[in-house]
Each structure stands twice: as C-alpha cells, then as structure tokens.
Amino acid sequence: MNTVLQLKQNRPLLHSQSSEAVTDGDGVRINRSVARKALHTFDPFLLLDEIASDDTADYIGGFPEHPHRGFETVTYMLEGRMRHRDHLGNEGLLESGSVQWMTAGRGVLHSEMPEQHEGRMHGFQLWINLPAAEKMSPPNYREYDAQQIPVLNISDHSSIKVIAGTVALNGQNIQGPVAEVSTQPDYFDINLAANESLNLPLASHKQVLVYVYQGAITIHSDQDSDAGTLLSQQLGMLGAGEQISMSTTENSRLLLLAGNPLNEPVVNWGPFVMNTREEIEQAISDYRNGTLVD
Ligand code: FE
C-alpha cells in the first residue's frame, strides 16, 4: 500500500488589482487598495492605504481632525514619524516600525499628522470591519513600538514580522502582540530575498490578501500553470486552500493579511462603516450634533 502524503492545498491567486493613486486628508498622496465600491469583496478588510514618498509636499498636510465609527484602523509605519491625537486626550508618536491598532467603535475624533518636515514617509493604514455587535463599543487603542513586534527569520536574508496572528513555520510558532480581535486577523510584513520561496499555512476559513510593496511575488497554485505574479503596488486576493506558496526572483516585500469574514451587510459613508443605511444616517447626525463621541 502506498503511503499517502498529506499535502496542504495551495491557495491560488484569484484576483489582482493595481492600487489607485488618490489624495486624502489635507492633500496626502496615497496608493489605495482593497475595494471602496464593493465593500463585501474583501470582507473583513475594507481599505488599505500606502503612503510612500520622499517629497514633503506629498504628506505634510497630514490628516487633520476627522471622525470614525464602526471599524478598526491599523497604522503601520516603515519610515517616518506621525503624531496621533484624539478627542479623549490620547496622544502618541508613531515611529519607524511601530503599529497603532485603533478600534473606533462608536466614535473617535482624531488627527494623524506628520512630525517631520523632510525625509521619507512610508507607511500603511488598513481598515478592518467590526462585527455588528461591536460597532458601538467604546473606542480602544493599542500601540506597539518596533521592539514589541516579533520577527521570524526564514533564512539569512528573509524574515516575517508578526504584527497580529501567529506564524507557524519550521517548527516555530511566533505570535504577534495583537490579540482578542473578533476577526482574528493575521498581519504579517514579509521580506523575501531574491530566489527564495515560502510556504505558509493559513487557516482555511480566512480571507487572504497579499499587497506587494517592493519587488514582485509569484503565487503558486497546485497546478504550476496557474501561477500568478503580483508586482509592486498590486493587491492579490487568494482563493480557498490551506497554505500560501510564494516565490520571488528579486528582493521583495509584501503585507500578508488574513481574517475571518463577517458575512454581514456593509453600508459606508466616508469614515463611517455600519450595517444599515439608518445606522449611517444616525452616525452622520451624531457627528453633526457633536454626539458621535462621548
Ligand atoms: Fe483616521
């Protein structure tokens, strides 16, 4: 009798799209990914913005005071300094390698402003939806500096930073600092050197997205003919399977995002993401009346 090998099924690359150049805040230039029109598509992820510029004019305007309700924002800085202030009097400086995980819940009024007048600014903001039962929860912040984010070395030149979730690889289990989030997100920043490959197991029920921000990554399905390549500033959505299999021919960097879909209706208006139109109207009226926040 032949021995049956239990091979994990690779998740194929289902869909890819280039990020869109937009401006937001006070004239900040952004590469925007993940859908804004069909918000269900990448459930539970709503939006991914990348700021990457050496030109002060592209970021100096920052994001003056604005509201959020109904979801979480995750800010991850690679280079540069951003100061955060909110209506509760919280204040924090996001520096290279640090992460802020903000649960807006029922309402936050805040600003996110650059604290530098020159040099490179490179960072990401991800929006993750909250389940209906948590959309009106009190706001919450978690901040982590670079030293609090564990790094798993894959080889001499390749590594995975584990911001949220757990990486299980080569007999090692590395857990990121962010826990107790309903959508159980995995947020990995992966640095893959030229001519290296990576097979990473991921829970089969999760939505999996890949955003390449340097180089290019090939995603391998079980049929080699189905391999798909993601270039820099492209987002890929992966199909069903138990692991992601990727390789590269050049030094590449990417974000890998995975999370439990909520499978709930999504209605949004600007910085509010709720389940019904009535809840959006309520959020707008609360904002105008000054009762969005306590
Ligand atoms: Fe914001």
Side-chain angles (χ1 to χ4, degrees):
M1 196 173 167
N2 290 331
T3 306
V4 177
L5 289 172
Q6 291 284 314
L7 289 175
K8 284 193 160 66
Q9 189 194 346
N10 285 343
R11 285 172 173 267
L13 180 62
L14 275 192
H15 167 78
S16 64
Q17 63 182 45
S18 295
S19 65
E20 187 186 358
V22 300
T23 57
D24 203 344
D26 186 4
V28 179
R29 290 174 64 91
I30 287 167
N31 301 319
R32 178 158 290 169
S33 301
V34 182
R36 298 217 72 190
K37 289 174 185 147
L39 287 177
H40 298 84
T41 313
F42 301 101
D43 182 15
F45 302 109
L46 299 165
L47 173 143
L48 178 66
D49 279 349
E50 177 186 21
I51 299 177
S53 182
D54 300 305
D55 183 349
T56 312
D58 286 344
Y59 60 74
I60 197 67
F63 303 89
E65 190 174 82
H66 59 277
H68 294 289
R69 173 178 278 180
F71 59 99
E72 312 196 71
T73 68
V74 182
T75 309
Y76 172 39
M77 296 298 294
L78 289 176
E79 282 184 83
R81 292 151 62 90
M82 276 280 212
R83 184 165 294 276
H84 163 268
R85 285 191 180 90
D86 77 3
H87 71 282
L88 294 165
N90 293 311
E91 185 172 337
L93 184 63
L94 280 156
E95 296 184 274
S96 299
S98 70
V99 171
Q100 183 204 59
W101 198 288
M102 182 185 85
T103 305
R106 68 179 304 274
V108 158
L109 264 180
H110 76 163
S111 62
E112 299 152 293
M113 301 298 289
E115 191 148 294
Q116 63 186 39
H117 296 284
E118 56 182 15
R120 184 159 177 79
M121 177 77 76
H122 193 184
F124 301 94
Q125 189 169 86
L126 173 70
W127 290 13
I128 308 177
N129 208 356
L130 280 172
E134 294 175 28
K135 282 186 178 290
M136 296 300 276
S137 60
N140 186 37
Y141 292 90
R142 315 171 207 210
E143 285 182 353
Y144 307 94
D145 60 33
Q147 290 71 34
Q148 291 173 282
I149 298 171
V151 180
L152 173 65
N153 291 315
I154 309 169
S155 68
D156 287 350
H157 302 290
S158 298
S159 59
I160 306 178
K161 270 199 221 177
V162 188
I163 294 166
T166 303
V167 170
L169 199 64
N170 306 333
Q172 295 187 79
N173 266 291
I174 306 280
Q175 193 172 357
V178 182
E180 292 176 15
V181 177
S182 291
T183 47
Q184 298 189 308
D186 299 303
Y187 190 147
F188 308 148
D189 179 10
I190 300 176
N191 188 345
L192 201 58
N195 304 315
E196 294 212 4
S197 59
L198 174 66
N199 293 323
L200 201 58
L202 291 163
S204 57
H205 55 275
K206 287 185 175 179
Q207 170 89 274
V208 178
L209 305 179
V210 169
Y211 181 74
V212 178
Y213 64 92
Q214 183 191 309
I217 291 286
T218 299
I219 309 277
H220 302 274
S221 73
D222 287 330
Q223 283 77 41
D224 251 4
S225 56
D226 284 353
T229 297
L230 292 170
L231 306 175
S232 269
Q233 277 71 50
Q234 286 189 330
L235 176 91
M237 180 168 73
L238 277 72
E242 290 137 353
Q243 69 172 5
I244 180 168
S245 174
M246 63 175 90
S247 65
T248 184
T249 55
E250 54 186 304
N251 292 337
S252 297
R253 297 191 69 180
L254 62 135
L255 303 182
L256 192 155
L257 310 168
N260 292 337
L262 293 171
N263 297 310
E264 292 177 358
V266 181
V267 182
N268 88 303
W269 185 85
F272 309 132
V273 182
M274 304 300 287
N275 300 106
T276 67
R277 194 184 160 90
E278 290 70 30
E279 289 167 347
I280 287 293
E281 284 164 4
Q282 186 67 50
I284 294 168
S285 122
D286 287 351
Y287 179 50
R288 287 186 180 145
N289 299 337
T291 56
L292 184 89
V293 298
D294 296 321

